[in-house]
Amino acid sequence: MVPETMVAASCSKNFGIYRERTGLLFTVSNDAAQAKVTQQNLTHLNRQNFSFPPDHGARLVTMILEDEGLKADWMAELEEVRTGMLGLRTQLADALRERSGSDRFGFIADHRGMFSRLGASPEQVEKMRVDHGIYMVGDSRMNIAGLNEATIPVLADAIIAAGV
């Protein structure tokens, strides 16, 4: 058990309301005195930054979740995005399997979410950028949601050419 933990969660992605500051920040502490000081500091920071935050995000989410039709539409769209991303992951893993003759990239199809790390070195990431115009974070984190059927072969070729 840790003596104190801070938890921050953004809820903006869930509904695509990035500018609405929808989320939370809280602490969990074993020390009541320290928890009180921490809460006072968080309250002070919150007042300085967000005296009157917009509530559009919360209202939009409430409207969607309380209306069965809107909620069903949102759930269907969410499922479409989720399965689409799984399909992109599978396509990329398959393209890499074809090019490498190996299942070493199978983890991409098994992961979930918008991002995956390739396990490439910073030098390999740089090689993909310079030689192929492929941009990703230096630790080889890539955005799966930014792929499509046309870009997957280009990315797979660059990954193999970089020696990943």
Side-chain angles (χ1 to χ4, degrees):
M1 179 178 270
V2 296
E4 183 174 47
T5 301
M6 292 190 84
V7 178
S10 170
C11 301
S12 300
K13 284 184 182 178
N14 302 24
F15 283 86
I17 49 176
Y18 297 97
R19 294 175 28 183
E20 299 300 333
R21 298 187 303 231
T22 306
L24 57 104
L25 173 67
F26 67 91
T27 63
V28 178
S29 177
N30 292 333
D31 181 341
Q34 184 61 40
K36 184 176 180 179
V37 169
T38 301
Q39 183 59 50
Q40 289 171 340
N41 287 334
L42 288 173
T43 300
H44 174 73
L45 291 170
N46 186 52
R47 285 189 181 137
Q48 284 187 326
N49 289 314
F50 307 109
S51 290
F52 293 98
D55 69 348
H56 304 106
R59 285 188 187 191
L60 289 171
V61 170
T62 299
M63 285 172 50
I64 291 168
L65 294 179
E66 287 181 349
D67 181 292
E68 288 305 316
L70 292 175
K71 183 178 179 180
D73 286 346
W74 174 69
M75 294 292 289
E77 290 173 9
L78 190 61
E79 182 65 10
E80 184 179 327
V81 169
R82 186 187 74 78
T83 57
M85 211 161 326
L86 290 175
L88 292 170
R89 287 179 168 284
T90 299
Q91 289 174 39
L92 179 58
D94 289 346
L96 288 164
R97 184 178 303 111
E98 289 171 13
R99 286 158 177 78
S100 69
S102 165
D103 283 329
R104 71 178 189 261
F105 296 103
F107 68 89
I108 294 171
D110 295 335
H111 285 175
R112 297 295 179 262
M114 289 178 53
F115 300 99
S116 271
R117 283 192 174 81
L118 278 176
S121 69
E123 294 78 20
Q124 290 167 322
V125 170
E126 179 67 10
K127 183 170 177 50
M128 284 186 273
R129 185 189 65 77
V130 170
D131 295 350
H132 302 278
I134 303 292
Y135 292 83
M136 64 181 68
V137 179
D139 68 356
S140 77
R141 184 181 71 142
M142 61 180 174
N143 184 346
I144 300 296
L147 298 174
N148 61 52
E149 285 186 32
T151 59
I152 286 174
V154 174
L155 176 60
D157 289 340
I159 291 169
I160 298 304
V164 178

